[in-house]
Amino acid sequence: MYLTKTPYLIQKLFPNFIWKIPSDQKTIYLSFDDGPIPEMTPWVLDQLEAYNAKASFFCVGENVKKYQGIYQRIINEGHTIGNHSENHLNGWKTENKPYYRNIRKCAERMNSPLFRPPYGKLKPAQILLLSRHYKIVMWDVLSGDFDPMISKEKCLDNVLDNITDGSIVVFHDNIKSKEKLEFVLPKVLEAGTAMGYRFENLSCLTANIAQR
């Protein structure tokens, strides 16, 4: 069970999290979790380039280690990177100290003040500590591209029916989401552009931090 649109009440209950970017401009912040991987990430980058769109990639450390060339391409093409843990750990199912060590290991591979917890799951103590060191980036629109129970058309509707100015949208550049993402992403870029939206990265959250 998940919410496609994060309710305003939940956003207010967790003020330590970044849910969207306050804006009166027609700007959307696409984000991609779980990469980089050769089967999906280069294709995603090609789609973004075709629309001169920027995005944010929350990377798994072990994938960064294996696919340094793809990771470097993300940075070279002007996208923002963020920590998504070394091994995609679920914070609810992991003791705090091993969880923190896993995040630090990922941080050794990238320099970013942004963190997105895998599955969006953190314990209260984890929230307290991590918010001292990172900007914890969640979302206000969850595409559902990971969900085998919905169609690719429903996934597209999840995005287009819920985006508003400043929305942070979650996709996944992983194998599980491949079929839906290949259908949805080009259509979101096309429709969003036609509606006058610009697609930006989250560099507004990384001021004065050099990415590497």
Side-chain angles (χ1 to χ4, degrees), residues 30-48:
L30 301 182
S31 62
F32 299 86
D33 291 2
D34 300 354
I37 61 168
E39 296 87 348
M40 280 305 299
T41 311
W43 178 87
V44 170
L45 292 169
D46 289 345
Q47 303 308 304
L48 295 172

Side-chain angles (χ1 to χ4, degrees), residues 5 28 141 158-165 167 169 192 195 197:
K5 181 75 171 178
I28 298 297
V141 178
N158 285 347
V159 178
L160 295 183
D161 291 348
N162 289 290
I163 52 174
T164 56
D165 298 347
S167 282
V169 182
M195 289 187 284
Y197 282 109

